[in-house]
Structure formats: structure tokens, C-alpha cells
Amino acid sequence: MNAKVIAVWGANGSGKTTTAVNLAFSLSQRNFTVGLISSNIYYGEMQMLCGCNVPDDRGIYHALMGGETKNMLVQAGKTSVFVLSVPDKFDAMQLTTVSAKSVKDMLDDANMRFDYLVIDGNTDLNNPISSIGMTEADKLLVVHRPSVKDCLWHDSMRNVFDLLNLSYKTAHILNAHDKSCDLSAYKSSIGLKFEFEIGYVDNANVYANTGQAIVFHDLKQEREYISGMKALTSSVILGGGQ
């Protein structure tokens, strides 16, 4: 098995982790086996969003130490999504230097175990899991939540796309517009073409805090969100949106 690698990136607060989690579950609903990797190596939050727990003897720290992911991932309920994050009770003082080789070995090993590998990127460009994941990904999804902050972040990252040769495989996603920012002014300021739009969900934080993916719910806003996520998922599967 050789996974298709999808990296999800964006500014702090853009909703990239929520997007990564719901994309993984959306792919699993199409009968794919999905590895979901957090690039946060200091504390765990992804397992909370997925409604699962990572015990002390599993997780991304041990995977990095050994260079392989066997027995280090945790299944999210009865789904075909498997989560690799730090343990629930992780002490960041245990963390040693994470080398590029250890990250590459870990990602190569995970790549052989799944149909899709979704990497939740980190805004910090020095994060090795995020940066290596983005450069090796087949597709980079950049998540934007309309705001002045997002415009400033994107302006600061424009040269990064060119330097790392990311533009050709990047799709920009407009996420969770809650009307706190004028959408037409935002689009004019940022100057991007958004290939996909995913709607705002009032209950998103409730679902996150109770370990429930948005794609498993059937209310009006959720259905609109699911519609956008389905379009994104289909594009990922078909290789479109570039």
C-alpha cells in the first residue's frame, strides 16, 4: 500500500485541525483507511477531536524514536481513521531533538499502511513534521478563515510557496465565514481563488470538545458543511482542484 499524502496548513485559528479531522473521517466514509498525523509534538489535541485516547506507550513521540508507526496509532472509535498524536499525559520535557531523518522514516513507514495519510500542519515553519509533510505531500490544502489576521499571514507566506515549490499542488479553502469580516473586502484584499468553501457551524466547538466530527451530524448548518467537505473529499480522491 502506498498512501496519497494530504497536508493541511493555515494560520493559527484558521480551522486547519478541524478540517484535517473532518477530511479524514469523510475519506473513511468512502471506505478508505486513513492515517491522521498531528504535527504538534508538545501536547495532544487531535485525539480529543477524534474522541479517542493515546496511552503513554503509544503515539508520535515513540514513532519518531523508533522510525515506525506500527502499534503507535490509535483507532478513532469503529472508523477506519487511525490517529498519531502525542500521548494524553505527555510531558514535553521528555522531548529530544526531532531530526529530519526520524520524521522522514516515520512518514515513509506510515505511508505504507494507509490509503490516505492526512497531516495536520503547524503554523511554525520550523516544525519538522509539518515542513517535511508539506514538501512530500501529493496535495497541500491551505485553510483560510476570513479575517485581517489571515490576510497578514498569507502575505507573509507568499515567498514560502515559491521557495518550497508548493504552489502547483496547493488548493485554498475558505473556511467558517461567520460574518465577523466583510467577505467581499476580504477576498479583494487577499487576492486568492478559493477552490472550496466550507460553511460555518455554530456547534463546531461543542463537537470538538465532545470528540465528535462535524461530518457525522445532520442539522442544517452541518449539512451545508458536509456538502463542502464532500466536494473537497471528491477532489482529493480524483486529484483535482489544482
Side-chain angles (χ1 to χ4, degrees), residues 108-130:
D108 286 346
D109 182 80
N111 189 276
M112 296 184 292
R113 302 183 187 278
F114 300 99
D115 298 310
Y116 285 88
L117 199 59
V118 179
I119 301 172
D120 178 29
N122 195 295
T123 304
D124 182 2
L125 291 173
N126 292 323
N127 182 291
I129 299 172
S130 180

Side-chain angles (χ1 to χ4, degrees), residues 34-96:
V34 185
L36 180 58
I37 297 181
S38 172
S39 61
N40 197 328
I41 52 179
Y42 299 103
Y43 70 96
E45 63 172 347
M46 181 173 284
Q47 61 266 44
M48 177 190 75
L49 299 178
C50 295
C52 58
N53 299 100
V54 181
D56 292 348
D57 60 345
R58 299 172 74 173
I60 200 165
Y61 184 58
H62 289 285
L64 287 166
M65 292 282 288
E68 64 175 46
T69 57
K70 184 179 181 181
N71 300 323
M72 295 301 150
L73 295 112
V74 175
Q75 187 174 7
K78 296 181 180 180
T79 72
S80 57
V81 173
F82 294 81
V83 178
L84 188 61
S85 180
V86 298
D88 296 349
K89 298 180 180 178
F90 183 66
D91 181 353
M93 290 298 291
Q94 301 175 51
L95 191 65
T96 57

Side-chain angles (χ1 to χ4, degrees), residues 11 22 37 66 80 128 175 181 188 196 215 222:
N22 281 278
I37 297 181
S80 57
N175 179 53
C181 175
S188 176
F196 304 97
V215 295
E222 285 77 352

Side-chain angles (χ1 to χ4, degrees), residues 135-208:
T135 55
E136 296 205 346
D138 298 290
K139 188 74 176 176
L140 175 61
L141 305 176
V142 181
V143 183
H144 300 265
R145 178 167 288 165
S147 66
V148 172
K149 181 179 76 172
D150 188 78
C151 288
L152 294 173
W153 176 83
H154 180 70
D155 282 344
S156 70
M157 293 297 142
R158 288 182 189 274
N159 290 334
V160 173
F161 286 94
D162 295 331
L163 182 64
L164 299 181
N165 193 28
L166 300 174
S167 297
Y168 78 96
K169 61 181 180 182
T170 297
H172 293 277
I173 301 168
L174 184 68
N175 179 53
H177 177 234
D178 60 1
K179 300 183 180 179
S180 62
C181 175
D182 182 85
L183 191 57
S184 60
Y186 168 78
K187 287 183 175 181
S188 176
S189 296
I190 201 166
L192 284 175
K193 173 189 175 184
F194 292 104
E195 288 88 344
F196 304 97
E197 295 193 15
I198 303 177
Y200 175 77
V201 175
D202 285 323
N203 290 328
N205 288 335
V206 175
Y207 296 144

